Amino acid sequence: KAGVTQTPRYLIKTRGQQVTLSCSPISGHRSVSWYQQTPGQGLQFLFEYFSETQRNKGNFPGRFSGRQFSNSRSEMNVSTLELGDSALYLCASSMGQLKDGQRYEQYFGPGTRLTVT
Amino acid sequence: SQELEQSPQSLIVQEGKNLTINCTSSKTLYGLYWYKQKYGEGLIFLMMLQKGGEEKSHEKITAKLDEKKQQSSLHITASQPSHAGIYLCGATHRRTGNTGKLIFGQGTTLQVKP
């Protein structure tokens, strides 16, 4: 099976612009979660989508948004970019169906390195 | 304070030596995940633990979950340069249950000297 793919791998934007990142989960996985990784804050959860619905949300401003398509592919958008948004953005996929007692392995993509100048 | 604390923050070992990394949660664990990351790259899934006392091994890496202490340990036997990297523990807690929200520790950077 192909792993989680993310595009683009690298991106340079200027302050005030907006950006869209894409994530294709492992085939058959319906949950996609997004994370931001920075040297100062570490790995922080942004949001999770399951069956095209946002199931969980982290503590990020409304400039960060996402969506999921019927084929489980997901995009995240950051509007009005700030210098502090420079980070490695990672997505993870899992089976994700809610069943009592079930935990799911989460697999991460290679990430998109966003630099805001 | 962090919901998930890893120790040590960094580790330098001689090739061939054993080492242990700990991960302690301040909240009731639902699932505990171990990942390895090369700097600036994605996370490589190592193991998932979900039951107290559970122990899993993959090649020379063993992880255990102590439910009473809300703690997990990752043990590497006979370390090799290929083990070098950043080890991250992630957890789902009771409140968020089995959704895809993982809380991560700050990571442990491992260097293995040949």
Side-chain angles (χ1 to χ4, degrees), chain A residues 45-114:
Chain A
F45 172 80
L46 280 156
F47 30 66
E48 179 203 8
Y49 285 86
F50 178 78
S51 290
E52 303 177 64
T53 302
Q54 190 179 84
R55 188 160 72 175
N56 243 314
K57 190 176 187 305
N59 296 323
F60 279 81
R63 300 185 296 107
F64 292 82
S65 63
R67 60 177 174 168
Q68 187 179 36
F69 302 95
S70 57
N71 62 358
S72 294
R73 189 178 71 85
S74 177
E75 289 181 347
M76 69 162 279
N77 184 277
V78 188
S79 62
T80 319
L81 284 165
E82 300 177 0
L83 294 178
D85 296 334
S86 294
L88 181 66
Y89 289 89
L90 294 157
C91 80
S93 81
S94 72
M95 294 291 287
Q97 285 173 289
L98 292 177
K99 290 182 183 177
D100 285 341
Q102 183 67 50
R103 290 78 160 172
Y104 295 98
E105 296 173 353
Q106 282 202 30
Y107 297 92
F108 281 77
T112 294
R113 170 73 62 186
L114 172 65

Side-chain angles (χ1 to χ4, degrees), chain A residues 26-43:
Chain A
I26 291 170
S27 177
H29 284 190
R30 293 167 60 188
S31 167
V32 174
S33 297
W34 287 90
Y35 295 83
Q36 182 196 64
Q37 187 176 35
T38 59
Q41 299 298 317
L43 257 174

Side-chain angles (χ1 to χ4, degrees), chain B residues 48-92:
Chain B
M48 178 184 75
L49 305 168
Q50 54 186 339
K51 297 176 186 175
E54 188 173 13
E55 181 174 321
K56 287 188 176 179
S57 294
H58 176 68
E59 297 179 345
K60 294 185 178 180
I61 301 176
T62 301
K64 300 178 187 179
L65 182 61
D66 184 333
E67 199 170 45
K68 284 184 181 178
K69 293 182 181 178
Q70 296 299 305
Q71 187 177 72
S72 177
S73 60
L74 185 84
H75 185 78
I76 298 177
T77 304
S79 58
Q80 301 167 353
S82 60
H83 287 128
I86 303 167
Y87 288 82
L88 290 147
C89 66
T92 51

Side-chain angles (χ1 to χ4, degrees), chain B:
Chain B
S1 64
Q2 294 265 3
E3 288 185 29
L4 216 53
E5 293 271 1
Q6 280 186 242
S7 62
Q9 286 192 358
S10 63
L11 202 48
I12 303 173
V13 299
Q14 202 68 39
E15 183 177 357
K17 295 293 186 184
N18 302 336
L19 64 107
T20 300
I21 299 168
N22 292 306
C23 176
T24 303
S25 176
S26 61
K27 296 183 178 180
T28 303
L29 289 167
Y30 192 77
L32 192 290
Y33 301 73
W34 283 102
Y35 292 90
K36 179 185 173 186
Q37 185 181 32
K38 293 283 190 182
Y39 181 77
E41 298 180 7
L43 276 61
I44 299 167
F45 175 81
L46 295 175
M47 276 166 276
M48 178 184 75
L49 305 168
Q50 54 186 339
K51 297 176 186 175
E54 188 173 13
E55 181 174 321
K56 287 188 176 179
S57 294
H58 176 68
E59 297 179 345
K60 294 185 178 180
I61 301 176
T62 301
K64 300 178 187 179
L65 182 61
D66 184 333
E67 199 170 45
K68 284 184 181 178
K69 293 182 181 178
Q70 296 299 305
Q71 187 177 72
S72 177
S73 60
L74 185 84
H75 185 78
I76 298 177
T77 304
S79 58
Q80 301 167 353
S82 60
H83 287 128
I86 303 167
Y87 288 82
L88 290 147
C89 66
T92 51
H93 293 119
R94 286 285 171 188
R95 189 170 59 83
T96 50
N98 54 357
T99 67
K101 178 179 180 179
L102 289 183
I103 304 298
F104 281 90
Q106 71 273 38
T108 296
T109 301
L110 171 63
Q111 292 181 53
V112 180
K113 288 188 170 182

